[in-house]
Amino acid sequence: MDIRNIIGSLVGVYGVILTLMGLFADQESDKTGDVNANLWAGLAMIVVGVVFVTWARLRPVVVPEHHDRAQDEPA
């Protein structure tokens, strides 16, 4: 299990929640200067989550099967 999958999934889930809040909840544009902050932050978090999961899929961590102790000893 790679930590990038966990981080990407959590950021993606929070991004979906924020995006839905930005679309359906009170936008409170007076506090944010007429910008739907929840929507834009949610979309950015979805993108970051997808990047993390894609990164983990394209460049997986490879653990060597056999570890030789002789290579670790100083010469």
Side-chain angles (χ1 to χ4, degrees):
M1 188 64 154
D2 193 357
I3 191 71
R4 295 174 292 183
N5 291 325
I6 297 169
I7 293 171
S9 299
L10 284 175
V11 171
V13 167
Y14 290 140
V16 168
I17 292 169
L18 273 177
T19 302
L20 292 174
M21 290 297 293
L23 290 173
F24 299 115
D26 184 22
Q27 297 177 6
E28 299 184 21
S29 59
D30 55 335
K31 291 182 181 179
T32 60
D34 292 330
V35 175
N36 193 345
N38 285 340
L39 178 65
W40 289 108
L43 291 174
M45 289 176 77
I46 289 171
V47 169
V48 169
V50 168
V51 167
F52 265 87
V53 172
T54 304
W55 177 28
R57 298 277 186 238
L58 293 177
R59 306 237 353 175
V61 175
V62 178
V63 179
E65 276 187 38
H66 179 15
H67 182 68
D68 190 15
R69 295 296 275 175
Q71 293 176 354
D72 292 340
E73 295 177 8

